[in-house]
Structures are given as C-alpha cells and as structure tokens.
Amino acid sequence: MAEYVVEFGKDGRPVEADGRLDAAAFHRNHQAIWAVLEKFLAGKSGDVVEAGSGTGQHVVEFARHSPDITWWPSDLNEQHLKSIEAWRAHAGLANIRAPLRIDLSDPSWCPEMRDGRGPAKLLAVFCANVIHIAPWRVAEGLVAGAGRSLRADGRLFLYGPFKRDGKHTAVSNAVFDTSLRDKNPEWGVRDIEALQELAANAGLVLNEIAEMPANNLILVFARQ
Ligand SMILES: C[S@@+](CC[C@H](N)C(=O)[O-])C[C@H]1O[C@@H](n2cnc3c(N)ncnc32)[C@H](O)[C@@H]1O
C-alpha cells in the first residue's frame, strides 16, 4: 500500500465487528451527491466504477437507488477494501460487485477490466474526496483511466473542494488546503483548470459544475 494512503472512516460510528467503517461526512453529503448522479443515471443501465470508495457507504446507497446499474467499488487500502466488502454483504444488493483493488497512481488501472473479471466499458466513474488527499499523479491516473474506459456517452464525476482560476472558493477551503499541505506537501485542493488540462489529454471535457453543500463541487466530464 502506498505510504500516503491514510486510514479513513473512523470518525463516525464505532467500527462494526465485520469491519464496516463509518465516515461522518457520508451522512452529510450522500443525498446531495445522489441528486446530481441521478440526473445522469436515471433510466440508464451499465457499469459504474467508484474510485477510492473508502468505507463503501456511498456505493451501497447509490446502488440501492439504481437496480439497473452494476456498481464496482474500489480502493487500495486493506481496511477500506474490507469495509467495502462488509457493507456489500450487509446490504445484500445484487448490483454491487466485490471491490476492485485499484491504485489510481498507476495509470493503467485496472487489470480486471482487461481480462474479463471486471467491467469493460463504463457508463460512469465516480470519485469523491480523493484527489486532494493524494499526490497529483493520482488525479492524472484517475482521469487517464476514465478517458480510456468510459463509453461514448459516459461521464466522470469528481466530488470535493476545488479551486477556480487558482483561487479558493471559500475561506474554509483555503484553511483545509493549508492543513492538507502541512500533512503532505504533495496533497492539496486541486484547481479546476489543471483538471481540465488532464481531461483534454484524456479526450474528456468539463460539461457541468454542480454546486454542493459545504463549498464542495461536483465536476462532470464527458467525451469531447
Ligand atoms: C478521504 S477518503 C474518501 C473516501 C470516499 N470516497 C468518501 O468520500 O467517503 C480517500 C480515499 O482515497 C483512497 N486513495 C488514496 N490514494 C489512492 C490511490 N492511489 N488509489 C486509489 N485510492 C486511493 C483512500 O484509500 C481513501 O479510501
């Protein structure tokens, strides 16, 4: 496991005996996120990969609302993979696959998508609160992989805090950015324009910015 990956999901309810972690933020943000995803996913079928699933709570919540979509959670932290699997078993939903081990810093993710053990072409890639708590190469790998694996009508959804034109959109985000960089100089709130550049190299274009509570955004990328 990469040394920069922090354990996550211990700030909510106590860890369950089966390994289910609980992230406090999940309870605050999942409804607003689903409202954006739903606009695109409603009435569609296909495969959706969640990158950096963390506890696994988002994928369970979203899969419950979309029985025609097959959800593929993923992460690279052992405790998180265990938690995702435990949430999957707990939910008992037929449309959530076993978590994939995807290291987004490897731009060739993921072997299962090439050897038939995973999905082939994706309706969407969803990634929440990952790229600012990871080195820039994680954003690079995420966007490159999305560009390679999205269907013609597919979308990449990126949720989190972002800078616009190099400027923070709120004081709280600036404070958060400083605290991230203090922990690890390779982390930090990312600039939308820098992500657009990555997207352009991957054949993607930013086609929507959705405002979220607590000064977060969802960036929606589509094929050019
Ligand atoms: C702050 S947590 C967010 C989890 C979840 N998406 C959420 O919003 O609740 C960041 C997640 O990114 C994962 N992560 C960090 N570096 C990664 C990498 N290189 N590849 C894949 N996942 C990574 C961590 O293991 C962790 O689960």
Side-chain angles (χ1 to χ4, degrees):
M1 187 181 78
E3 77 285 356
Y4 52 80
V5 174
V6 285
E7 287 242 357
F8 171 77
K10 292 186 174 162
D11 56 347
R13 291 189 299 265
V15 180
E16 300 284 348
D18 60 3
R20 272 176 295 145
L21 300 170
D22 179 58
F26 160 78
H27 301 280
R28 297 191 295 267
N29 66 26
H30 70 87
Q31 280 171 331
I33 295 174
W34 177 247
V36 173
L37 297 187
E38 187 182 27
K39 279 196 293 168
F40 171 69
L41 295 177
K44 296 198 176 72
S45 60
D47 293 293
V48 177
V49 164
E50 183 186 20
S53 298
T55 64
Q57 289 167 290
H58 282 119
V59 90
V60 165
E61 183 66 25
F62 299 160
R64 214 185 288 286
H65 291 294
S66 54
D68 294 334
I69 289 172
T70 302
W71 289 82
W72 300 79
S74 71
D75 211 285
L76 83 171
N77 174 294
E78 285 306 327
Q79 297 311 316
H80 298 177
L81 289 166
K82 189 176 169 204
S83 176
I84 298 162
E85 182 52 31
W87 274 109
R88 183 174 90 100
H90 183 259
L93 296 171
N95 60 329
I96 309 176
R97 295 289 183 263
L100 298 164
R101 179 185 302 276
I102 296 181
D103 180 353
L104 297 165
S105 66
D106 172 3
S108 67
W109 63 274
C110 76
E112 288 88 343
M113 291 178 68
R114 291 186 288 279
D115 66 15
R117 287 177 296 146
K121 281 290 174 189
L122 302 177
L123 172 60
V125 174
F126 168 68
C127 185
N129 283 329
V130 172
I131 61 171
H132 57 280
I133 313 182
W136 181 240
R137 62 181 174 279
V138 167
E140 291 175 331
L142 169 67
V143 175
R148 210 175 38 246
S149 31
L150 285 177
R151 311 186 327 203
D153 63 343
R155 297 284 187 278
L156 166 63
F157 294 89
L158 283 187
Y159 168 88
F162 297 95
K163 287 194 276 187
R164 279 180 149 153
D165 299 320
K167 294 190 192 77
H168 288 293
T169 60
V171 174
S172 58
N173 285 2
V175 172
F176 182 46
D177 191 26
T178 302
S179 73
L180 288 171
R181 289 173 195 278
D182 283 348
K183 283 193 193 106
N184 187 325
E186 286 195 90
W187 295 0
V189 172
R190 306 303 179 190
D191 198 89
I192 295 177
E193 285 68 29
L195 289 162
Q196 281 178 285
E197 258 185 67
L198 288 188
N201 292 334
L204 301 174
V205 64
L206 181 64
N207 81 337
E208 188 188 341
I209 299 178
E211 306 269 349
M212 293 282 107
N215 302 307
N216 288 301
L217 300 172
I218 294 184
L219 310 183
V220 188
F221 293 90
R223 288 217 168 278
Q224 271 166 357

